[in-house]
Amino acid sequence: MKKIQGIYGAPHGHWVGDGFPVRSLFSYDRMGAEHISPFLLLDHAGPHTFKPAERPRGVGQHPHRGFETVTLVYAGELEHRDSSGSGGKIGEGDVQWMTAGAGIVHEEFHSRAFTERGGSLEMVQLWVNLPARDKDVPAAYQTLLDAEIPRVPLDDEAGQVRVVAGSYLGQEGPARTFTPINMWDIHLRAGRDAVLSVPEGHTTLMVVLEGTVQVNGETIVRDESVVSFEHRGEEVRLEANNEAKLLLLTGEPIDEPVIGQGPFVMNSVEEIHQAFADFQGGKYGALHD
């Protein structure tokens, strides 16, 4: 079994724009980049009920550079546009995987249809670091629809694993990644248990979004918590005390400096200064109506 290294609760929530009430369940500045590499942070937005409105809520144009953002929608519907000319709409079960790379400007809003009808919104956004060799790749965008994401049933009808990235029991996720990463969206049924095989040597983080889970037969973890595991070991045992919604993230660590400021994550202070200068100089492009 992979031993538990630490358990982290979420700090108080905050709003991103006027459309996303979030709690940052982990971040590189709070936990230390070397302990969670290649991951940088994860925000859990909602669940929050929005009343019908005329104007879409969300967050307006802003830049990113040096990493990737991964948005998984559990409820509601989002629309995205960016300066690479990409964009799209994602709803329940869908994922958008955006590579900021050498620089991008984007915006995220509730979709027009969701705005008009209102309802519950819930999503997570994960930031994944890029190694130095890939920080200047061209910006790119992947839309991963729910129907394209494989589902692997767990033994004894314990639940299922949706394989967004990496692989599980031979099922490959549709996301293209720059370093070896697994992103598993897991549902566990109440009173059932499962043993998951995870890679030796990977950073391994389990995010409990909903429910209460017993880990490795001894530790109770409640919702809005993150479990960090040691790199050694190849199994994690989970038992759900009630219906549970989890994310299991594993990744090969990137052994490089992490220097971040706001929407930029690079390898040195000088590169951060250059990232700001390039953005101010218009090198990331612009959105056009």
Side-chain angles (χ1 to χ4, degrees):
M1 293 286 177
K2 279 187 179 287
K3 292 183 179 180
I4 293 176
Q5 196 168 47
I7 300 175
Y8 305 88
H12 295 299
H14 62 281
W15 281 82
V16 175
D18 64 356
F20 306 109
V22 308
R23 298 177 75 180
S24 296
L25 301 190
F26 67 76
S27 62
Y28 66 95
D29 55 351
R30 184 159 61 101
M31 295 173 63
E34 69 277 13
H35 299 303
I36 62 173
S37 178
F39 310 110
L40 294 167
L41 68 79
L42 184 134
D43 284 345
H44 182 205
H48 184 87
T49 299
F50 289 90
K51 294 180 180 179
E54 296 182 0
R55 179 185 62 83
R57 305 174 180 92
V59 58
Q61 298 184 26
H62 59 283
H64 290 298
R65 182 170 180 174
F67 61 98
E68 302 184 285
T69 68
V70 183
T71 305
L72 188 162
V73 176
Y74 288 104
E77 192 173 66
L78 303 180
E79 289 183 351
H80 162 95
R81 290 195 311 143
D82 66 48
S83 55
S84 75
S86 297
K89 185 185 300 182
I90 57 172
E92 184 176 339
D94 299 337
V95 177
Q96 68 175 26
W97 198 295
M98 186 186 77
T99 303
I104 197 168
V105 176
H106 78 138
E107 64 180 24
E108 294 172 295
F109 285 92
H110 300 178
S111 73
R112 176 63 63 179
F114 178 78
T115 298
E116 292 176 352
R117 70 174 182 266
S120 178
L121 176 77
E122 183 181 10
M123 50 165 271
V124 296
Q125 185 171 91
L126 171 71
W127 289 14
V128 180
N129 199 14
L130 289 170
R133 66 175 182 271
D134 295 315
K135 285 193 179 290
D136 285 331
V137 298
Y141 180 84
Q142 302 174 64
T143 299
L144 313 175
L145 299 178
D146 182 38
E148 302 168 346
I149 298 174
R151 289 166 165 78
V152 181
L154 296 170
D155 291 341
D156 299 324
E157 299 182 341
Q160 71 169 15
V161 176
R162 287 202 320 147
V163 188
V164 177
S167 65
Y168 185 72
L169 296 183
Q171 291 288 327
E172 299 284 336
R176 301 184 303 275
T177 66
F178 286 83
T179 58
I181 287 172
N182 290 299
M183 182 177 183
W184 302 336
D185 177 24
I186 301 173
H187 172 253
L188 284 180
R189 296 179 61 194
R192 302 300 178 93
D193 64 85
V195 177
L196 304 177
S197 297
V198 290
E200 173 86 24
H202 271 208
T203 296
T204 302
L205 303 172
M206 186 185 74
V207 182
V208 181
L209 297 171
E210 183 180 307
T212 303
V213 179
Q214 187 178 61
V215 182
N216 291 345
E218 57 184 13
T219 303
I220 299 294
V221 182
R222 293 175 171 81
D223 58 0
E224 303 289 344
S225 297
V226 177
V227 182
S228 172
F229 294 90
E230 292 184 356
H231 287 189
R232 292 179 298 175
E234 297 181 339
E235 290 184 342
V236 173
R237 181 169 185 165
L238 306 174
E239 181 179 349
N241 293 353
N242 42 34
E243 296 289 316
K245 181 165 62 182
L246 319 170
L247 276 178
L248 192 68
L249 308 169
T250 88
E252 185 176 281
I254 300 171
D255 187 19
E256 296 173 354
V258 173
I259 305 296
Q261 186 171 343
F264 307 130
V265 180
M266 304 301 288
N267 296 109
S268 68
V269 172
E270 291 75 19
E271 289 174 343
I272 290 290
H273 292 162
Q274 189 62 53
F276 276 100
D278 289 347
F279 169 61
Q280 292 163 353
K283 292 186 178 180
Y284 298 173
L287 294 173
H288 302 285
D289 294 328

